Amino acid sequence: MFLTSIFLLVPLVVLVVYSFSGSRYATVWGGFSTQWYVRLVDNVELREALWITLKLGGLSTLLATVLGTAAALGHWRLCGGGTRAVPTFFYLPVMVPEIVLGLALLIFFTKVWTVERGLWTMTAGHVVFGVCYVFAVVSARLRGFDARLLEAARDLGATPWQAFRLVQLPMMVPGIVGGALLSLALSLDEFVISYFVTGAGISTLPVKIFAMMKKGVTPEINALATVLLMASVLLALLSIMVQGKHRAD
Amino acid sequence: MRLSRLLAIFCLATASVTAAPAQTLKLLVWEEYLDPSVLKAFTKETGIKVVEDNFDDNEGLMAKTGTGKSGYDIVSPSDYAVQIMVRRKLLAELDHAALKNLKNLSPDFTDLYYNRGQKFAVPYTWGTSGLAYNKKKVKNPPASWADMFEVEKLQPLKGRISMLDDAREVAATALLALGLDPNTGKPGDLEKAAVLLRRQKPFLAKYDSASAEDSLASGETWLAQGFSGDIATAQAENPDIAYILPKEGVSFFVDNLCILQESKNKAAAHVLLDYLMRPEVALVSMNAMKFASTNKAIKAEEIDESLRSSAALMLPAREKRVLFMDPGQEMGDAFEALFNDLKN
Amino acid sequence: MMGRLRWSWFLMLPALLWLGVFFVVPLGMTAVAAFARRGEPLEWTFSMAAWVELGRGGFGVVARDPDDAAAGWRFQNEALAVGWRTFWVSAATTAGAFLIGFPAALFMVRRSARWRRVLYGLIMIPLVANSLILAYAWVTLLRRDGLVEKFLRTLGVLGEDGSLGLIYTPSAVVLGMIYWYLPFMVYPVYSSLEKFDWRLLEAAADLGATAWQRLVHVLWPLSLPGIMTGCLLVFVQAAGTLVFPELLGGSKTRLLGPLIHDKFLSYPENYPLGSALALALMILTTFGVWQALRVSGERKDNSVS
């Protein structure tokens, strides 16, 4: 485990340390400097890409969460807590390599439903895998739910809607939040599908980073990565806190 | 139901953002092609917004725009790519009345096979892809492409050599070394080239077009096939980098500005093209990006001194210039297959 | 009862529709495109050209280097050669991720809840950090005269001009991918170990089983479903990888991902051939999925009986 930790941490340390390098090359150390962070703040293109990434992530997570949660609920009502009848269909997209999904969508959007590619075509792809993850996480959560609780609520005079909203939904929330966060995290980092179906002037952060890398990596990318890393660590801590709080409740 | 309120706010926010902005030109051009300050100044002068995306090989550009619904207005294909894109009817005919500054272009680059009369393309920059090496590390520098296939010469540099990640460029080096035509239509020629390239491959660190100059300047590689402008960038970073034009001849390219047929902003695109042809504007990009301009109205003394003696401005003799031509789909596949086979 | 059923389907409908339109139909069109004529870039006319091209060269092998017999052999057929390499690169990645991930998950699951959370976060880091950039961090480490080589030189393990020669080789690609895909291995393995009843091990020990026997006969069969899920996730993703061969492999060896990429996003495009290759990739991964399900299914039956 000690060696594993080193294996896991060394690239990250390198990443962070080199973001403070004075050299123009991301692979060569050139003395301490914070110039790349200054540059980062001034980089309009990256800001634009970040904004598009967030929009795409928000939009696709929203859709995936709504669709995935509804589907998981429907499936639960249909089959109860049974684990055997999990529809493999919902897990298929995860079993297909991203690049295949990317090119399939490219064919679809160029030769079948010809549209100008951009935010919406990317959203279409991101929701596909997002739905799967939300479905899986919410389903897992519902598996432990006792349907008799709903009946009890009905017996006590609740309408079906009230029973759902006051009994079942609160119990589902951690699953929904977990699924949504997973879907969001994957969307923010997704590269291949976005790369295939992106449009003119619409670059997500990963696509932009890939383009920057091909140009030759400057420590500016390291600086960006460090900032993103901090943001995701914060996000992760937040989600642990939210879920921990729910558990405490 | 706080959640639903949040969702509503989010939807409103995205809706307001996707509302149509003012006129925007979308560019798909080479990386290291236009200096960002140039585009900013253009927007300030005309009010036309510009968004820039980059590509790193002609093949990628052609595939991206080949579907005819890419959403771009202006692209910057090289010579043979212009020829192919004209054949595929992807480029719009230029309106010379809107391009007063065409007169600034040097005749050296205007009268080439793919673009007689500048009907579809404005030649904007030119360059070569020769050999660059680190003077401190390479004791016995190559003078010809043939040297790049001699095992004894490569041995001391093993793992320190990079070639371009580009089927046409790499094939051309072997074809030139063999005394064959880099625009050959004979699959047999490619087979001969493949033998040489296969022999060379174990000595290479990598095939790399995009960051070859970085690896060279940082000392990771010592000998590299590279584009002249990129090498000039490396020279500015590391004075030990030298550049030669191998004696058999050298791949010579002219990158152009073209307007896509699909563009809905052709008038604005012409305005930008004409703006970019102003000598003072072309000079800014040339000094910053280090790719030589085709603009003859630029005065020699205005060019950065370091650039004047760099790889960027080494113009090969006319008979040594090798311009690529459209190989046709069949030979295009053959070139790709040669390169893929090399990577097997 | 009917109402309840209808409601349930109604809830599932939007998701099913979305997956139908943006997943099933595109994949179906890909399958169709593999039998279409290659135009610029595609014409919907029946043609077997892509498959003919895919099969060119047959199953024959040729010497890798005619001058040098020691260099070994390779498939003459491009798809086979690339598919074969993709298979073993993904398999090596999966094996590596397992060898690191399984002990890590085992270690984690035996710690206290707080420790667990910290370790869990550690393992998940590659997932939350931008993966492209992490690939580049590996370049910094592995490159010629890079940090690893400098470190080894200081230790005296490596000579002054010595080099590992690791960067820009398939091994570097595998190493980078192990790092990247490790979370996909650890997560499912960890989940299955979490449910594991540790008293079983004690019982086995009481019955006189050695540590090795306990591992092989008790722990292993019961954690197999999780392991298989992990292997599957890693294998499928590694098989379709796009950026690692380019960044860490120096574009010197072709894997299926970049090959397929070029058929779509590089002139001259060949959508039918690219689609056929994508189907081949699907077959490769489906084979992996099927194998994994078979193995874990068998084991489950065994352990029940």
Side-chain angles (χ1 to χ4, degrees):
Chain A
M1 195 61 207
F2 177 69
L3 280 177
T4 310
S5 305
I6 291 195
F7 176 68
L8 284 169
L9 284 177
V10 162
L12 289 176
V13 172
V14 168
L15 190 78
V16 175
V17 168
Y18 274 68
S19 70
F20 294 102
S21 165
S23 157
R24 199 182 75 81
Y25 309 107
T27 52
V28 179
W29 178 254
F32 182 83
S33 153
T34 51
Q35 57 164 319
W36 302 108
Y37 287 89
V38 178
R39 279 239 206 156
L40 199 60
V41 176
D42 294 336
N43 195 325
V44 186
E45 281 181 33
L46 277 181
R47 226 179 303 151
E48 185 72 16
L50 177 67
W51 176 228
I52 289 168
T53 311
L54 290 177
K55 261 201 290 188
L56 174 63
L59 206 60
S60 55
T61 303
L62 182 67
L63 278 164
T65 309
V66 172
L67 297 184
T69 305
L73 194 63
H75 177 250
W76 176 81
R77 290 167 58 114
L78 208 57
C79 317
T83 49
R84 293 197 62 86
V86 171
T88 337
F89 181 67
F90 277 106
Y91 297 138
L92 278 180
V94 189
M95 292 300 167
V96 171
E98 271 182 323
I99 187 167
V100 176
L101 188 52
L103 70 89
L105 285 168
L106 179 69
I107 294 178
F108 183 72
F109 285 126
T110 53
K111 300 303 289 186
V112 183
W113 183 8
T114 315
V115 292
E116 197 167 289
R117 280 161 281 157
L119 188 62
W120 291 103
T121 50
M122 288 194 281
T123 306
H126 281 210
V127 171
V128 166
F129 64 79
V131 161
C132 303
Y133 285 104
V134 174
F135 179 85
V137 177
V138 176
S139 279
R141 182 88 194 161
L142 278 172
R143 216 168 289 152
F145 182 73
D146 192 340
R148 281 171 304 184
L149 284 176
L150 283 180
E151 284 165 30
R154 296 289 305 277
D155 289 345
L156 293 171
T159 63
W161 169 245
Q162 280 174 329
F164 169 71
R165 196 168 75 83
L166 298 173
V167 179
Q168 194 169 19
L169 190 63
M171 175 270 177
M172 287 166 69
V173 164
I176 297 174
V177 171
L181 281 176
L182 190 60
S183 156
L184 180 68
L186 289 168
S187 167
L188 293 183
D189 195 34
E190 206 288 325
F191 167 69
V192 179
I193 296 171
S194 306
Y195 186 65
F196 268 86
V197 294
T198 186
I202 312 273
S203 292
T204 66
L205 214 46
V207 172
K208 193 94 218 167
I209 288 172
F210 186 65
M212 282 171 82
M213 273 183 168
K214 296 198 91 176
K215 266 190 221 181
V217 182
T218 62
E220 188 175 352
I221 294 185
N222 290 50
L224 174 65
T226 307
V227 172
L228 289 178
L229 190 65
M230 295 306 152
S232 22
V233 167
L234 269 178
L235 200 70
L237 283 178
L238 206 71
S239 86
I240 288 176
M241 270 164 58
V242 168
Q243 290 192 321
K245 195 163 153 257
H246 267 280
R247 221 164 282 153
D249 291 348
Chain B
M1 292 274 88
R2 271 165 303 159
L3 194 64
S4 61
R5 210 169 307 146
L6 204 72
L7 299 187
I9 291 168
F10 185 82
C11 290
L12 282 175
T14 40
S16 69
V17 169
T18 41
Q23 196 171 25
T24 303
L25 282 175
K26 290 178 177 164
L27 272 58
L28 182 58
V29 296
W30 288 96
E31 47 200 32
E32 319 289 321
Y33 194 65
L34 301 171
D35 190 63
S37 71
V38 165
L39 297 177
K40 250 182 238 162
F42 172 76
T43 304
K44 207 168 168 195
E45 186 178 310
T46 61
I48 301 169
K49 279 176 71 178
V50 183
V51 180
E52 181 190 338
D53 282 340
N54 299 124
F55 61 90
D56 68 355
D57 66 3
N58 282 303
E59 286 63 30
L61 164 72
M62 288 189 276
K64 221 167 182 187
T65 54
T67 55
K69 248 202 158 183
S70 65
Y72 290 104
D73 299 298
I74 294 176
V75 290
S76 69
S78 305
D79 32 66
Y80 72 100
V82 172
Q83 188 190 6
I84 293 168
M85 292 177 82
V86 168
R87 174 169 64 70
R88 289 174 80 168
K89 300 193 173 55
L90 296 169
L91 300 181
E93 231 174 285
L94 297 175
D95 176 9
H96 284 210
L99 300 173
K100 302 268 179 293
N101 289 325
L102 267 177
K103 63 179 189 312
N104 291 341
L105 302 183
S106 154
D108 247 352
F109 310 102
T110 50
D111 195 32
L112 297 170
Y113 78 90
Y114 67 90
N115 191 29
R116 308 245 183 246
Q118 273 71 59
K119 213 168 150 192
F120 292 99
V122 171
Y124 197 63
T125 58
W126 63 268
T128 55
S129 38
L131 282 170
Y133 61 93
N134 188 321
K135 280 183 274 187
K136 281 222 174 105
K137 303 286 186 183
V138 182
K139 296 285 168 255
N140 189 7
S144 65
W145 291 118
D147 288 343
M148 292 299 287
F149 300 102
E150 278 184 37
V151 172
E152 309 84 70
K153 290 202 169 144
L154 298 177
Q155 190 60 48
L157 304 173
K158 188 170 179 177
R160 298 288 192 176
I161 307 170
S162 81
M163 296 286 282
L164 289 170
D165 192 8
D166 184 313
R168 290 298 303 270
E169 293 284 1
V170 169
T173 66
L175 289 166
L176 283 168
L178 288 165
L180 298 169
D181 178 10
N183 286 310
T184 182
K186 290 182 239 149
D189 287 356
L190 292 190
E191 276 164 35
K192 286 180 208 152
V195 174
L196 286 195
L197 292 169
R198 200 166 273 288
R199 191 183 304 155
Q200 179 195 50
K201 190 187 164 197
F203 298 96
L204 300 184
K206 57 180 174 175
Y207 291 108
D208 184 1
S209 298
S211 55
E213 70 275 16
D214 277 4
S215 298
L216 192 67
S218 70
E220 187 187 351
T221 56
W222 297 343
L223 174 62
Q225 180 196 15
F227 298 123
S228 51
D230 291 338
I231 301 306
T233 304
Q235 287 178 317
E237 311 263 344
N238 183 342
D240 295 330
I241 306 298
Y243 184 71
I244 63 148
L245 302 172
K247 63 178 182 214
E248 294 97 335
V250 65
S251 153
F252 172 79
F253 55 84
V254 178
D255 294 334
N256 306 271
L257 288 165
C258 303
I259 301 175
L260 285 178
Q261 187 64 52
E262 62 174 275
S263 166
K264 296 181 194 85
N265 304 305
K266 293 202 178 78
H270 278 89
V271 176
L272 177 59
L273 257 50
D274 203 44
Y275 176 84
L276 290 172
M277 281 189 284
R278 292 183 194 168
E280 67 277 14
V281 173
L283 179 71
V284 172
S285 283
M286 176 168 170
N287 278 335
M289 299 301 171
K290 310 215 186 303
F291 275 96
S293 170
T294 56
N295 204 308
K296 66 171 187 233
I298 293 175
K299 292 184 192 71
E301 63 271 18
E302 289 172 338
I303 301 170
D304 275 353
E305 206 176 326
S306 61
L307 197 61
R308 270 181 262 165
S309 54
S310 77
L313 292 184
M314 284 168 68
L315 186 62
R318 207 166 273 273
E319 68 279 7
K320 296 288 184 193
R321 296 177 201 168
V322 175
L323 269 171
F324 289 154
M325 292 179 195
D326 175 13
Q329 203 179 49
E330 212 168 293
M331 273 313 277
D333 282 343
F335 274 106
E336 279 302 311
L338 160 75
F339 205 41
N340 281 334
D341 202 39
L342 201 58
K343 293 178 174 187
N344 274 344
Chain C
M1 208 49 214
M2 267 317 284
R4 183 189 150 130
L5 267 181
R6 211 167 334 125
W7 254 100
S8 308
W9 280 108
F10 185 70
L11 280 171
M12 283 167 76
L13 196 63
L16 288 174
L17 265 179
W18 193 283
L19 289 186
V21 175
F22 296 118
F23 179 65
V24 178
V25 172
L27 279 190
M29 293 324 287
T30 308
V32 174
F35 296 94
R37 234 184 55 191
R38 173 189 185 186
E40 284 188 329
L42 186 70
E43 282 166 34
W44 295 117
T45 329
F46 179 77
S47 159
M48 289 296 284
W51 298 94
V52 173
E53 208 176 331
L54 200 65
R56 202 164 46 200
F59 291 96
V61 294
V62 290
R64 182 167 294 282
D65 182 353
D67 307 336
D68 178 13
W73 54 274
R74 63 190 175 92
F75 284 106
Q76 194 165 13
N77 177 282
E78 185 185 18
L80 257 182
V82 175
W84 174 243
R85 184 177 310 110
T86 306
F87 173 77
W88 75 251
V89 163
S90 326
T93 304
T94 312
F98 171 73
L99 286 177
I100 298 174
F102 183 70
L106 203 57
F107 180 87
M108 271 163 65
V109 89
R110 302 292 272 162
R111 298 306 110 172
S112 70
R114 198 151 55 126
W115 253 107
R116 250 191 247 183
R117 214 173 285 168
V118 173
L119 290 170
Y120 195 72
L122 191 67
I123 295 275
M124 291 297 141
I125 284 172
L127 206 61
V128 293
N130 185 287
S131 35
L132 295 172
I133 297 175
L134 286 174
Y136 214 82
W138 277 103
V139 178
T140 315
L141 282 164
L142 295 179
R143 74 184 197 95
R144 289 291 289 260
D145 309 325
L147 290 176
V148 171
E149 287 188 4
K150 276 193 185 134
F151 180 66
L152 291 177
R153 274 175 209 161
T154 327
L155 286 184
V157 181
L158 213 61
E160 198 46 45
D161 287 323
S163 165
L164 292 173
L166 200 54
I167 188 73
Y168 308 134
T169 64
S171 312
V173 178
V174 170
L175 196 62
M177 289 207 292
I178 290 175
Y179 184 81
W180 195 358
Y181 295 129
L182 195 59
F184 294 95
M185 176 68 74
V186 174
Y187 182 68
V189 174
Y190 175 82
S191 312
S192 75
L193 285 178
E194 215 178 11
K195 292 184 212 121
F196 183 73
D197 188 349
W198 295 96
R199 285 170 304 181
L200 283 175
L201 282 185
E202 286 163 32
D206 291 343
L207 293 171
T210 63
W212 177 249
Q213 281 174 326
R214 273 178 282 162
L215 180 69
V216 173
H217 294 294
V218 183
L219 190 60
W220 174 257
L222 288 173
S223 47
L224 203 60
I227 294 171
M228 279 301 145
T229 312
C231 287
L232 218 68
L233 285 173
V234 174
F235 184 83
V236 168
Q237 302 198 59
T241 186
L242 192 57
V243 288
F244 278 93
E246 196 159 330
L247 290 175
L248 284 167
S251 292
K252 270 200 304 189
T253 41
R254 269 272 186 254
L255 296 182
L256 263 180
L259 185 66
I260 292 172
H261 166 273
D262 282 2
K263 298 293 173 218
F264 286 93
L265 295 180
S266 182
Y267 176 88
E269 311 96 306
N270 195 340
Y271 278 27
L273 185 57
S275 303
L277 283 166
L279 289 184
L281 177 61
M282 293 270 290
I283 291 169
L284 186 74
T285 52
T286 311
F287 178 74
V289 171
W290 176 67
Q291 279 293 326
L293 289 178
R294 203 176 56 90
V295 170
S296 63
E298 252 170 35
R299 285 302 182 121
K300 220 181 268 170
D301 293 345
N302 285 348
S303 61
V304 167
S305 60

